[in-house]
Amino acid sequence: MRDTPAAPARPSAGPATTRPRRHGPTAPGAPGRTATRWAVALLTAAAVVYNDWLLALFLPTGLDPRHSYVSELYAADQPFHVLFGAVEVLAAALVVAGALLALRRPANRWARAGWWSLVGFGVSSVADVVVPMRCAPSVEHPCEAVNPWHTTTSAFVHLALFASMLLLTVGLDAAARPPGPVRRWGPWVLGSALATALATVGALLGHPGWHGVPQRAHLTLVGVWFLLLAVGLRGGLPGAGTGTRRR
């Protein structure tokens, strides 16, 4: 019997190529992108809710907005203290939820510290409501403007707020070219918010009068800050190369 010649070997098709799979928040429908959209919505809502002093313009609070602190609206003996206290807690919850969702995005250490500072701001704001002013010093002369517990929580609110402004201005748009809105406008908002906050301490030092005007300007600037963050997050949705790389 003759041996049958072996059939020639077929050329190898080579290693199979695998199409790379997309991961992370830049993939369509990824959890990170959904979280960012929710963070944008929550921070935008917080910008409006946090300025609840506008609501007082339509209610018979008995407080003069030019010469009273906004925290007097939810002082323990005021008629609308439950309403304004609840709105303050709602605003704080919106900020905390928005910051925690923003933390799900890739970010450098400065931005992450800034978002955690914003969480601290929200927690301190809730504490501000838990230990409110006992009375409204602008209309009750025996009432002292300095309430140790409330003054302390308010100090933590401002400390966390200014920390978030500084850290997120440095970190959120760190690699963006041209700079994003937070990096571009953050220093102006920080400087203005700090100046208006300092202009409100007169009543605490025994020199009341007109401190309500800069405080309401300060709260408006805080709302602008939340909107800036929302715009900055929204601008990072189309791609990952907008200053959100993890270091």
Side-chain angles (χ1 to χ4, degrees), residues 45-181:
V48 177
V49 177
Y50 191 71
N51 281 277
D52 58 344
W53 60 271
L54 292 169
L55 178 62
L57 301 177
F58 304 97
L59 295 174
T61 62
L63 300 175
D64 188 332
R66 299 169 300 174
H67 307 298
S68 63
Y69 286 120
V70 172
S71 54
E72 293 182 50
L73 292 169
Y74 55 91
D77 66 344
Q78 292 303 294
F80 296 101
H81 71 98
V82 173
L83 171 63
F84 285 101
V87 175
E88 289 284 325
V89 172
L90 174 60
L94 291 170
V95 171
V96 170
L100 290 176
L101 286 172
L103 278 164
R104 297 182 62 180
R105 305 170 72 248
N108 58 48
R109 59 182 179 179
W110 299 102
R112 293 188 67 81
W115 291 121
W116 280 115
S117 296
L118 211 58
V119 172
F121 166 86
V123 172
S124 300
S125 296
V126 173
D128 225 22
V129 177
V130 173
V131 285
M133 302 178 77
R134 302 186 187 95
C135 47
S138 65
V139 293
E140 302 173 51
H141 298 295
C143 178
E144 295 184 0
V146 178
N147 180 328
W149 285 107
H150 183 78
T151 303
T152 300
T153 56
S154 295
F156 281 118
V157 168
H158 286 88
L159 178 63
L161 172 67
F162 295 134
S164 77
M165 288 182 172
L166 177 61
L167 293 167
L168 286 169
T169 296
V170 171
L172 189 59
D173 294 328
R177 296 294 183 272

Side-chain angles (χ1 to χ4, degrees), residues 15 21 24 37-38 54 56 62 68 71 76 95 116 131 144 162 171 181 188 195-197 201 205 218 224 227 232 234:
R21 298 174 60 185
R37 289 197 177 100
W38 274 105
L54 292 169
S68 63
S71 54
V95 171
W116 280 115
V131 285
E144 295 184 0
F162 295 134
W188 296 97
T196 51
V201 302
L205 301 176
H218 172 79
V224 170
L227 287 176
R234 187 173 182 274

Side-chain angles (χ1 to χ4, degrees), residues 203-219:
L204 300 177
L205 301 176
H207 301 285
W210 295 100
H211 52 279
V213 175
Q215 190 189 38
R216 284 155 178 80
H218 172 79
L219 297 178

